[in-house]
Amino acid sequence: MNNYKLIAFDLDGTLTQHKSKLCQKNASVLHRLAARYALVIVGAGSCLRIWEQMNRFDIDIIGNYGMQFSHVENGKLILDINDSYIADKKFFLSAIEKLRARFGYSDFAGSSVEYHPSGAVTFPLLGTDAVLSDKLAFDPKGEKRSAIYSEVAEVFKDYNCFIGGTSSFDIVAKKYDKYKALLSYAEGKGIRREEILFVGDDFKKGGNDEQVLKGGIDCICVTNFTELELLLTNKGIL
């Protein structure tokens, strides 16, 4: 028997295909886990977007790398924390235009930069209006973004910069990352670090799950979200 009390999940690539709805098979996995553990989603998107993508599953959610915390009550999503800040749009637009010119991403669909209400910024290499099929085919192993990550992160050195989604970088204020957010959530529940398990898919340098692994929390890496049930069974979690 393991000693975990809390299992935290990344969303895209872990529980679901990127930007796709939670499938019934993995919903059933979550229902089974909920009988034994506390569960929380720790994501890069807003709590509302994550909840809708999860078909309004009854689960606590940490969104925007820790800017939002939410729970579900009587079928409604309740925001317990909703931080925000003002992004320097002039700086980000200029910096991203220079990065596009340097790395050859000057041809893009939609806008060059995505500004989120929270203050977080996304640098979408293919543009904000790129179709999902193009994004999924662009960099499935993250190699293209990993190759330029160090230089992109250096440009945004006053922020946390993460490889996000399928074709983008997420840039957020330094105080926000999945590790800090998860630890804060667990402490509020009286759960110790050694009682937490994190399940994600992107632990490489710059990956948005990397900080959780570096923080010393036990982690399981998902390589195929459709095999989540088998993976957790083999690890003795289910």
Side-chain angles (χ1 to χ4, degrees):
M1 294 292 292
N2 63 66
N3 295 315
Y4 300 125
K5 292 183 178 179
L6 172 65
I7 300 182
F9 287 91
D10 170 56
L11 181 60
D12 287 341
T14 300
L15 284 170
T16 71
Q17 176 61 281
H18 290 272
K19 298 294 187 292
S20 300
K21 294 284 189 176
L22 178 69
C23 64
Q24 184 56 51
K25 181 179 179 181
N26 284 349
S28 296
V29 169
L30 292 177
H31 279 299
R32 290 169 60 191
L33 290 171
R36 297 176 56 188
Y37 311 95
L39 303 179
V40 63
I41 302 296
V42 190
S46 70
C47 288
L48 179 59
R49 184 187 74 74
I50 293 169
W51 190 50
E52 293 291 354
Q53 188 174 339
M54 300 247 331
N55 294 315
R56 300 191 171 190
F57 194 93
D58 186 356
I59 192 169
D60 288 359
I61 299 170
I62 299 170
N64 295 141
Y65 295 99
M67 277 180 268
Q68 292 185 337
F69 286 61
S70 70
H71 71 280
V72 178
E73 186 175 312
N74 297 323
K76 295 183 179 180
L77 187 76
I78 308 298
L79 283 177
D80 303 303
I81 295 175
N82 188 20
D83 290 350
S84 64
Y85 57 91
I86 298 174
D88 184 344
K89 293 185 177 181
K90 183 177 180 181
F91 162 72
F92 281 106
L93 181 59
S94 174
I96 287 174
E97 285 180 344
K98 291 175 183 176
L99 287 167
R100 287 190 180 281
R102 171 164 173 70
F103 295 117
Y105 290 105
S106 296
D107 185 17
F108 53 89
S111 300
S112 179
V113 188
E114 184 175 3
Y115 302 103
H116 300 278
S118 62
V121 172
T122 296
F123 173 15
L125 295 178
L126 303 184
T128 57
D129 292 345
V131 299
L132 181 59
S133 58
D134 288 345
K135 292 192 287 186
L136 291 173
F138 171 72
D139 191 20
K141 295 183 179 179
E143 295 169 345
K144 294 178 182 178
R145 286 166 295 162
S146 290
I148 65 174
Y149 171 75
S150 293
E151 291 183 65
V152 174
E154 177 61 25
V155 170
F156 302 114
K157 62 186 177 182
D158 293 331
Y159 298 82
N160 278 333
C161 180
F162 304 110
I163 295 172
T166 56
S167 55
S168 59
F169 295 94
D170 292 332
I171 303 110
V172 298
K174 279 285 187 185
K175 65 179 181 177
Y176 301 111
D177 66 49
K178 289 186 177 182
Y179 168 70
K180 293 173 186 172
L182 178 54
L183 209 60
S184 175
Y185 174 86
E187 287 173 353
K189 300 287 186 180
I191 296 172
R192 296 173 294 156
R193 182 187 342 217
E194 57 268 28
E195 295 172 326
I196 305 169
L197 175 67
F198 180 82
V199 184
D201 73 317
D202 198 358
F203 298 99
K204 64 182 177 293
K205 181 179 179 181
N208 65 27
D209 299 326
E210 180 193 18
Q211 296 299 320
V212 182
L213 181 64
K214 289 173 66 176
I217 289 174
D218 288 351
C219 295
I220 290 177
C221 183
V222 175
T223 57
N224 185 338
F225 77 97
T226 66
E227 298 177 357
L228 178 66
E229 181 179 21
L230 178 62
L231 177 62
L232 295 180
T233 299
N234 289 341
K235 294 289 186 179
I237 306 304
L238 268 178

